[in-house]
């Protein structure tokens, strides 16, 4: 099993930056091949923001390309599998609950979500 714990959300002014972190824990953290961030604004469907494979291949939504950077820290020695989302040049339309996702070869895991609010 895998548990995901997110941190780093908050309130920021337009043009500002935030960094989200998501740490995976549990017995199956090295079965995860892809980790990513999704977001859901009120009244809208959850959408992909960015994802990264264990080989560090990345994929971004068009709306965040050039502004957001996803990265990942995998360490078997430290039993660590963490994904980060560095968000810059934030816009009010980036306001949403951001969810961490971890995809294994069998199971798919979600974090509890962290609120990001960008004021104009």
């Amino acid at each position: 099993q895998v548990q995901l714990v997110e941190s780093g959300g908050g309130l920021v002014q337009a043009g500002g930056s935030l960094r989200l972190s998501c740490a995976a824990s549990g017995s199956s953290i090295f079965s995860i091949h892809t980790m990513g961030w999704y977001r859901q604004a009120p009244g809208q469907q959850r959408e992909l923001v960015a994802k990264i494979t264990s080989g560090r291949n990345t994929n971004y939504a068009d709306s965040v390309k050039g502004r957001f950077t996803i990265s990942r820290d995998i360490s078997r020695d430290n039993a660590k599998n963490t994904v980060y989302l560095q968000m810059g040049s934030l816009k009010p339309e980036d306001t949403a609950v951001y969810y961490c996702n971890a995809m294994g070869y069998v199971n798919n895991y979600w974090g509890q979500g962290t609120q990001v609010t960008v004021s104009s």
Side-chain angles (χ1 to χ4, degrees):
Q1 289 298 318
V2 172
Q3 295 80 42
L4 301 175
V5 177
E6 300 143 335
S7 59
L11 173 64
V12 65
Q13 289 189 330
S17 300
L18 279 176
R19 188 191 195 211
L20 305 183
S21 299
C22 173
S25 63
S27 60
S28 302
I29 61 171
F30 297 113
S31 71
I32 299 168
H33 57 79
T34 300
M35 296 187 77
W37 291 93
Y38 290 71
R39 67 186 180 187
Q40 187 168 20
Q44 297 188 19
Q45 290 188 333
R46 192 173 297 189
E47 63 176 3
L48 173 69
V49 177
K51 60 183 178 181
I52 183 169
T53 68
S54 54
R56 306 302 197 281
N57 294 311
T58 59
N59 187 27
Y60 293 91
D62 288 342
S63 59
V64 306
K65 283 180 181 176
R67 300 189 298 121
F68 292 10
T69 301
I70 192 168
S71 60
R72 190 166 170 187
D73 184 5
I74 304 172
S75 171
R76 288 187 177 272
D77 291 344
N78 297 324
K80 185 175 184 180
N81 197 347
T82 303
V83 65
Y84 305 94
L85 186 68
Q86 180 67 47
M87 304 186 293
S89 301
L90 282 161
K91 305 175 181 180
E93 51 263 43
D94 294 318
T95 295
V97 178
Y98 283 69
Y99 295 91
C100 178
N101 173 262
M103 292 180 60
Y105 292 99
V106 175
N107 296 312
N108 193 25
Y109 305 94
W110 290 94
Q112 78 283 1
T114 185
Q115 177 70 46
V116 171
T117 302
V118 184
S119 63
S120 58

